[in-house]
Amino acid sequence: MLSIQHLSKKFGDLQALDDISFDVVPGEITGLIGQNGAGKSTTFHSILNFLDYEGQIRWHGQPVDETVFDTIGYLPEERSLMPKLTIEQQIVYLARLKDKKAKDIRPQIDPWLKRFEVKGQKSDKIKSLSKGNKQKVQLICTMIHNPKLLILDEPFSGLDPVNMDILKQAILGAKDQGAAIIFSSHDMANVESVCDNLVMLRNGQAILNGTLDDVRNQFGKNQIHVTGPWSVQELADLPHVTKVLTPRPRQFVLHLDDPGAGPAIFETLTQGKYIEAFVQQAPTLDEIFRMEVGAGHE
Amino acid sequence: MNKLWIVTAETYLRQVKTWSFLILILSPFIFFGISAGAGYFAGSSTAGQDKIAVISQQQPLRQQVIRQNKGDVNQKIITQKAAEKAVKAEDLAGYLILSQSGQRVKAVYHSTRNMDDTLKKQVQASLSQYQQALNLNEAKLTPQQTQALQQQPIFQQQLKEKQKDDSLAKLLSFWIMAFLAYMILTTYASITAQEIASEKGTKIMEIIFSSTTARKYFFGKILGVLLVILTQIGIYLGGGVLCYLLAQRLTFSREFLADNHTLISAVLHNLVNINLLYLLLGVVLFTVLSAFSGALVAKAEDASKAATPAVYLNMIAFFSTFPFQGNTHSIVVTILSYVPFFSSYFMPFRMINYTVSPVEITISLLILVVTIIGSAAYIGSIYEGLMLQTDDSSFFKRFKRGLSYRKQRS
């Protein structure tokens, strides 16, 4: 387990991280979300011991140093490989630095290239690859040595939906093999679709921390999504409704000041008859993110 | 394999597999080959032009001249007509027509230019001998008289042991050593600095530093470049031996080597001794400095500027030997022979020109080695901070930040 306790980091006068504590458990995926500059990359750099910091970071009770480097797979935020090497040379070189033997890695390269649908041959130079293919090769470099701790900084950035799905499957595969995974993302839909746990950072502070359901339920089931022939005014006049949004024609989102008002609104809207949709739920992660980040700006 | 050696091997292979390295290695041999080839062809094409023909009805007379000047006579030409044709075609320097009128030998040389002085003396000596034999025969002397006439004066040389003059050997040794050091240091300072600077601030460094320590990576890089340098020096030494063996077989260079055997031995003796160690240690120190300056550039795009500090320091050290060529006992020379970066030029300079005590050499070497170890260890300790920082401030700010960076591990 990766344990982060009371992690703080200052850059001059700037408090980049302020008393952050959370765990990343083997076989689970933790999403680290926050605005640009919230402290996500600084957290990763602290985990990897690139920076001096206050607090304690332990991997299975040990400090993160050279003795555990071989069990870590790290994907930095911006992609970067050695342009003059071939795909095979690059993958083998980085795998050897993770204490893997070249003869063990080479047979795995083709299956990984196929799995990630990389266009080209393993003898192709890195510099000849498209941006998307470079990104996939970098992901292979991060994962081919079967790391026990995966640290992925914005892994989905720049990927199209098809490739995003390929990556999600790879991350879920690593989870099934028992890896502890932490990744950052701006895309809340991705976080919601793969994460078990969530840490939201704002100005270096962890403002939300827990399982995905716990975090969402903290905000109460104060939204009702309905589809039907009502007008906005009709819905706005309902008791405990504070706001009505219309994302699409005939589709409405009612914001409540009391989640307990849901059954009464259901009765009022249906009157015992069929309606196309009625769902009462907590805010989406995206909405929570906007709310929390917005609160930080107020 | 230890990660240090993985980085070393990767750095080494990446450098030696480039076209620029191949060209760097081959260029002196190509230059030598072209020079040798040109010399050979020039030599073989003009060889015939330096010879002469000897034409005579009196075969004993002709044979007397030919016997004593075999290397300079084209014996195939026996008629005046053939000789004239050969001279016209510039295949022959000229031809000598020998005749005997009564008891007198006559020689007429036909050519467009004067006969070579050495050959002229040899030909005259041959003719004199022949003439003398004719004269003695004509005089009808008794054996005693003949013997009396053959008495020669006694000429002896009483030579004192010559003062050993090896100033040329010293001068040559120093310049070869200095130029070798200067060229290697300049070339590899650029290669090292660019190798390091091209990775500056790139995310590949984050991946690598999550796999091995920055110190191991730094040492691996330095060792990789040093292996490239050793490869080059090794190829040059091997190639040099081959060229020397080849030169001994080629006519035009064989004489030069034989004539200058003492000088060449003295120069080689001056080069292949502790001076070579100074050269190697100097290369190591400048490589470490180059790596440091490479790590101090603002971003990878500035890699071409990275070598400037190391190249300038090398130039200063090299050129500062110039004013002391005639004043090798200067106190400045003595002091600089202990100062790292300068000692690689000044201590060999002292050793070539006069005897330096083993104590002085040991102290100088110790200072150099301690500086190398100390600077490599220090730069290794701040390397991670230098490579990961992407501060785009001025060079001096980055330098200061680099120097003050001390990572405190929790």
Side-chain angles (χ1 to χ4, degrees):
Chain A
M1 182 174 76
L2 178 72
S3 167
I4 296 169
Q5 298 298 320
H6 307 293
L7 175 64
S8 293
K9 171 67 189 171
K10 273 186 116 173
F11 291 112
D13 295 332
L14 176 71
Q15 186 76 45
L17 294 174
D18 187 7
D19 199 24
I20 308 281
S21 296
F22 65 92
D23 295 331
V24 183
V25 180
E28 291 187 6
I29 301 174
T30 298
L32 191 63
I33 59 174
Q35 277 186 296
N36 294 332
K40 302 185 294 295
S41 293
T42 305
T43 304
F44 291 154
H45 287 183
S46 301
I47 295 170
L48 293 164
N49 219 353
F50 293 164
L51 302 166
D52 57 315
Y53 54 81
E54 290 172 32
Q56 194 181 63
I57 299 175
R58 293 285 184 269
W59 170 244
H60 293 314
Q62 301 292 317
V64 179
D65 55 24
E66 199 187 4
T67 57
V68 300
F69 278 170
D70 295 343
T71 62
I72 295 175
Y74 171 57
L75 180 77
E77 184 179 359
E78 294 161 32
R79 312 298 177 242
S80 174
L81 292 168
M82 296 160 148
K84 290 178 184 171
L85 299 190
T86 64
I87 293 174
E88 183 178 27
Q89 287 168 337
Q90 178 71 88
I91 293 173
V92 168
Y93 176 49
L94 292 178
R96 288 179 75 204
L97 286 178
K98 294 290 185 187
D99 209 27
K100 294 286 175 190
K101 288 189 166 56
K103 66 180 169 78
D104 296 334
I105 291 297
R106 283 203 178 95
Q108 297 182 44
I109 293 175
D110 279 331
W112 274 90
L113 293 178
K114 196 173 172 187
R115 183 177 169 189
F116 275 79
E117 296 179 10
V118 176
K119 304 276 186 298
Q121 303 297 314
K122 60 186 174 186
S123 55
D124 290 347
K125 288 264 168 80
I126 296 288
K127 63 184 172 191
S128 71
L129 300 178
S130 69
K131 191 181 167 190
N133 281 320
K134 278 182 193 163
Q135 193 159 341
K136 290 178 189 175
V137 170
Q138 185 136 22
L139 283 163
I140 294 170
C141 293
T142 308
M143 301 177 80
I144 199 167
H145 60 288
N146 294 321
K148 299 294 174 206
L149 173 61
L150 255 181
I151 301 170
L152 309 170
D153 201 352
E154 301 287 351
F156 299 106
S157 105
L159 290 178
D160 59 49
V162 174
N163 285 315
M164 256 185 217
D165 201 47
I166 292 171
L167 175 59
K168 275 182 202 170
Q169 295 311 315
I171 292 174
L172 291 170
K175 174 190 166 178
D176 290 344
Q177 290 179 359
I181 301 165
I182 178 169
F183 77 90
S184 65
S185 181
H186 287 117
D187 188 329
M188 298 305 134
N190 285 325
V191 175
E192 230 165 351
S193 63
V194 296
C195 279
D196 301 297
N197 306 299
L198 178 74
V199 177
M200 186 183 284
L201 298 180
R202 186 178 66 203
N203 299 329
Q205 293 180 317
I207 52 172
L208 292 172
N209 181 3
T211 65
L212 203 57
D213 288 340
D214 286 349
V215 167
R216 285 186 64 183
N217 289 335
Q218 279 178 34
F219 292 82
K221 293 186 175 180
N222 56 3
Q223 288 187 4
I224 294 173
H225 295 245
V226 290
T227 304
W230 310 283
S231 68
V232 172
Q233 193 55 52
E234 279 178 282
L235 297 171
D237 289 343
L238 292 169
H240 299 288
V241 173
T242 57
K243 190 163 68 175
V244 178
L245 301 175
T246 50
R248 288 197 181 79
R250 291 168 42 81
Q251 287 184 8
F252 306 93
V253 181
L254 313 182
H255 287 241
L256 311 179
D257 59 10
D258 176 13
I265 292 173
F266 179 79
E267 290 300 329
T268 307
L269 289 179
T270 59
Q271 295 183 347
K273 294 178 183 169
Y274 168 82
I275 63 169
E276 291 170 53
F278 183 100
V279 182
Q280 183 169 4
Q281 62 184 30
T284 63
L285 205 53
D286 193 50
E287 288 164 331
I288 293 171
F289 182 74
R290 289 170 199 279
M291 273 191 285
E292 291 301 309
V293 167
H297 289 296
E298 283 166 5
Chain B
M1 193 194 275
N2 185 305
K3 291 178 184 178
L4 173 78
W5 294 113
I6 293 172
V7 177
T8 303
E10 163 62 24
T11 307
Y12 174 75
L13 291 174
R14 191 142 39 103
Q15 285 294 336
V16 298
K17 279 158 75 179
T18 58
W19 281 106
S20 57
F21 181 75
L22 200 65
I23 291 166
L24 182 74
I25 290 292
L26 291 181
S27 52
F29 295 108
I30 292 170
F31 179 74
F32 175 80
I34 290 171
S35 306
Y40 176 77
F41 285 114
S44 51
S45 63
T46 57
Q49 293 172 12
D50 294 336
K51 291 191 175 180
I52 62 167
V54 179
I55 316 291
S56 180
Q57 299 298 321
Q58 280 78 32
Q59 281 309 307
L61 175 57
R62 182 171 184 263
Q63 288 308 320
Q64 167 81 12
V65 174
I66 289 174
R67 198 163 44 242
Q68 293 182 351
N69 302 283
K70 270 182 187 166
D72 297 309
V73 177
N74 183 339
Q75 297 179 48
K76 289 179 187 166
I77 298 175
I78 52 172
T79 64
Q80 185 171 357
K81 198 175 174 187
E84 276 172 1
K85 198 175 169 186
V87 169
K88 204 171 181 183
E90 294 189 347
D91 288 335
L92 204 62
Y95 58 94
L96 194 65
I97 295 185
L98 305 177
S99 58
Q100 188 178 335
S101 170
Q103 291 301 310
R104 190 163 194 187
V105 172
K106 188 181 176 189
V108 180
Y109 182 62
H110 297 263
S111 177
T112 53
R113 57 182 190 269
N114 287 329
M115 186 185 270
D116 176 76
D117 283 345
T118 313
L119 181 60
K120 193 174 173 183
K121 280 178 190 162
Q122 287 172 355
V123 168
Q124 280 175 339
S126 305
L127 293 174
S128 294
Q129 277 180 20
Y130 193 83
Q131 182 66 60
Q132 195 176 9
L134 286 179
N135 293 347
L136 288 172
N137 195 34
E138 179 66 15
K140 295 187 171 55
L141 301 173
T142 64
Q144 287 80 4
Q145 287 170 320
T146 306
Q147 198 175 359
L149 279 173
Q150 285 177 345
Q151 285 290 343
Q152 297 289 329
I154 295 170
F155 178 76
Q156 287 185 331
Q157 291 190 89
Q158 292 283 333
L159 297 177
K160 287 185 179 176
E161 195 176 345
K162 195 182 166 193
Q163 188 72 34
K164 204 174 174 184
D165 182 15
D166 56 355
S167 57
L168 181 61
K170 285 176 178 174
L171 195 68
L172 268 178
S173 306
F174 173 73
W175 283 114
I176 291 172
M177 172 62 74
F179 267 109
L180 202 62
Y182 181 71
M183 295 307 294
I184 288 177
L185 291 176
T186 304
T187 306
Y188 284 97
S190 304
I191 288 174
T192 311
Q194 292 198 28
E195 170 80 23
I196 302 277
S198 64
E199 295 174 339
K200 167 81 178 194
T202 60
K203 294 293 171 181
I204 191 78
M205 295 317 298
E206 291 188 7
I207 298 169
I208 286 167
F209 292 159
S210 72
S211 306
T212 185
T213 61
R215 193 188 299 265
K216 271 190 190 168
Y217 186 73
F218 175 68
F219 291 158
K221 282 275 183 195
I222 297 286
L223 282 173
V225 174
L226 287 177
L227 275 183
V228 179
I229 297 171
L230 286 178
T231 303
Q232 186 180 357
I233 292 176
I235 291 172
Y236 282 2
L237 281 178
V241 170
L242 279 178
C243 287
Y244 184 72
L245 293 175
L246 187 66
Q248 282 181 325
R249 297 173 72 91
L250 294 174
T251 321
F252 66 94
S253 52
R254 189 169 48 212
E255 275 182 35
F256 175 81
L257 292 179
D259 292 347
N260 298 284
H261 177 73
T262 316
L263 179 69
I264 291 167
S265 296
V267 170
L268 284 177
H269 174 75
N270 281 334
L271 294 180
V272 187
N273 59 15
I274 204 154
N275 289 338
L276 206 57
L277 184 63
Y278 267 99
L279 172 67
L280 288 176
L281 290 176
V283 167
V284 176
L285 185 58
F286 271 94
T287 305
V288 171
L289 174 73
S290 309
F292 183 48
S293 53
L296 275 174
V297 297
K299 48 191 180 296
E301 291 74 21
D302 294 339
S304 57
K305 304 175 198 163
T308 310
V311 169
Y312 278 9
L313 185 59
N314 184 34
M315 276 173 66
I316 292 168
F318 176 59
F319 287 114
S320 58
T321 60
F322 284 30
F324 302 104
Q325 292 295 330
N327 186 17
T328 54
H329 289 275
S330 162
I331 184 71
V332 179
V333 174
T334 309
I335 291 170
L336 289 178
S337 68
Y338 293 99
V339 179
F341 295 108
F342 289 85
S343 60
S344 296
Y345 287 103
F346 279 88
M347 189 50 98
F349 187 38
R350 285 180 69 193
M351 283 192 281
I352 286 169
N353 282 292
Y354 53 90
T355 308
V356 185
S357 76
V359 177
E360 286 181 282
I361 295 172
T362 309
I363 292 171
S364 170
L365 275 176
L366 267 177
I367 294 172
L368 189 55
V369 169
V370 167
T371 307
I372 289 169
I373 294 172
S375 55
Y378 176 68
I379 296 166
S381 72
I382 62 170
Y383 192 67
E384 190 168 14
L386 290 175
M387 290 305 283
L388 291 181
Q389 66 140 329
T390 49
D391 188 357
D392 199 10
S393 56
S394 72
F395 174 83
F396 289 104
K397 277 187 183 169
R398 290 196 306 278
F399 188 74
K400 199 176 158 190
R401 183 170 168 170
L403 289 179
S404 64
Y405 189 93
R406 275 270 180 206
K407 194 159 169 287
Q408 296 157 4
R409 293 181 184 277
S410 60

